[in-house]
Amino acid sequence: MTAPEAPPKRVSSYQRLKDKLVRVNSEKIDRSAWPLPKDQKELWQHATKGGTRAFVLAYGVRAGINFCLYLLRVFRKKAPLSHIFAILFKNLDALRFGAMIGSFTFLWKLINNGLRLYRQKDDRWHGFVAGAVAGLSILFEKRERRVEMAQQLFARDIFYMKNGDALLFGLTCAQVMYGYTMQPASLPPDFYSFMIKAARCPEPSLKLNCKNIRGLPISTDEFVSVVQKYRPTARSLQMARTLPVHPDIVPCEVIHPWLDSCNAVALERFTKVFKSMMPVYGTLHFVPMIVLRNKHLKKEPVKMLSKTTIATLKSGAFLATFVTLYQYQVCGHRNLINAGLISGNSKYLYYLFGFVCSYTSIFWEDKRRRGELALYVLPKAIYSFYNILYQKKMMIRIPHFEVFMTSVAMGTLMVSKRKKNQKIIILCSCCSLLFFLP
């Protein structure tokens, strides 16, 4: 008499994630081979185990990134060393993020496998119901973060056309750069603050340019006051003192008063942005590798470290090129006006400038990263566009709409994840245009 076959060993979600990271594109996951829980006890154990593991991993990644970024501030003498362990072990943002991911995993496993156990079959609607309920885990996050995450989840789309990810990135950055120049209040405050620091263009100069485009008068004292804040050259001070109340355009001498040469400004901008973003991008690339791919790192340390280092350098070159090209276009526009070749300073030019610099610079990044960046910027563009329309009384607000949309998005994405239903994925992306953010 032959011995009964041993039940298939359950593969953890973490192991499936690691396998997916090294799986070639032609390989597919056979979900029908996933073992069905035998009873409610096994169901609860599996869900609890998966949720706990997900919490630890999510907390580790978020806390690790926060720790590295805070350590950089300590080295730059912008923060005290005494608080560094509090950042690692008492970080509320990391706890919220871990709780959100952990509870999502717990609810997803519990409901999806519970429905499989109850109905004794595997159905795509299990994914929708489980994903929709698990999407409520977003309530662990702060309200402003919930809005961003809900937008991100609804922005998950497939890029069918060649370089479609780069095109989407260019179009979304066009809206974002317009908001940065003309409607800063339409952008999320933290994101706008990041743009000001990264672009290194004086914010008062941006405001003067905005007033000029809208036809508002600017006094000589305003021009001189702005220029004097940034170690101006003699030429910049002289220009600021002689500008009329309604100049044709705010000149380069006010945009970058510390240097007279636009070429020197572009070189300075590229160097400083690249240097300042290296620690940030290094953290974002290396921490996930250490936490999620530590076995591969031990097995092939040279390959993994060199690959991640190159990716970090590419990301730094991308943002430095982005900022430099935008600055070059702004300066070039002013030089053409000064030469008498063109006239006018339309606000819609900043849409064009944003598209050109973003579509060109994104090719520094790998194909996978282009899509990620496009999906990161898309919600910011939607947010900006929505706020501009709301100012014009062309939009309404619906309270807590982001929670409902997160649940629908997660349910829909879990269905498309299982069956690869392209129509459903496209519907997700179209619905992102309907966000009425509270």
Side-chain angles (χ1 to χ4, degrees), residues 6 28 33 50 100 126 159 169 207 220 242 264 282 320 366 392 435:
K28 294 183 179 180
M100 182 190 69
H126 296 171
F159 307 111
F169 183 72
K207 292 180 179 179
T220 302
T242 58
D366 293 333
K392 300 178 183 295
F435 262 91

Side-chain angles (χ1 to χ4, degrees), residues 22-77:
V22 297
R23 185 180 292 114
V24 297
N25 293 334
S26 60
E27 294 183 85
K28 294 183 179 180
I29 302 173
D30 184 10
R31 294 183 176 85
S32 62
W34 291 358
L36 185 68
K38 296 178 181 179
D39 49 39
Q40 290 189 9
K41 181 180 179 181
E42 186 176 328
L43 172 68
W44 282 92
Q45 286 178 345
H46 178 60
T48 303
K49 197 173 181 181
T52 303
R53 186 185 297 109
F55 169 80
V56 173
L57 285 172
Y59 179 86
V61 171
R62 183 66 182 268
I65 291 175
N66 289 344
F67 177 81
C68 292
L69 293 177
Y70 188 84
L71 198 60
L72 291 173
R73 295 182 60 199
V74 172
F75 288 151
R76 294 171 179 174
K77 298 182 179 180

Side-chain angles (χ1 to χ4, degrees), residues 342-354:
I342 62 173
S343 61
N345 186 19
S346 172
K347 61 183 180 181
Y348 298 110
L349 280 172
Y350 298 95
Y351 272 108
L352 177 62
F353 294 164

Side-chain angles (χ1 to χ4, degrees), residues 22 32-33 40 80 158 169 171 185 232 237 259 294 354 377 383 387 415 429:
V22 297
S32 62
Q40 290 189 9
I158 295 177
F169 183 72
L171 293 173
L237 267 177
L259 285 173
N294 51 2
V377 178
Y383 185 91
N387 280 322
V415 172
S429 300

Side-chain angles (χ1 to χ4, degrees), residues 86-103:
I87 292 296
L88 185 59
F89 298 108
K90 297 182 180 180
N91 191 290
L92 185 58
D93 288 339
L95 285 172
R96 286 179 179 273
F97 184 71
M100 182 190 69
I101 299 298
S103 61

Side-chain angles (χ1 to χ4, degrees), residues 296-343:
H296 296 292
L297 179 60
K298 293 176 183 178
K299 185 178 179 181
E300 300 176 310
V302 176
K303 179 181 177 181
M304 294 295 295
L305 290 172
S306 60
K307 184 178 179 181
T308 306
T309 300
I310 291 172
T312 302
L313 293 173
K314 284 184 174 181
S315 295
F318 147 71
L319 190 60
T321 304
F322 184 109
V323 173
T324 303
L325 285 178
Y326 191 78
Q327 181 66 48
Y328 243 133
Q329 291 178 99
V330 171
C331 289
H333 176 223
R334 281 151 176 75
N335 291 331
L336 289 174
I337 289 180
N338 292 337
L341 299 177
I342 62 173
S343 61

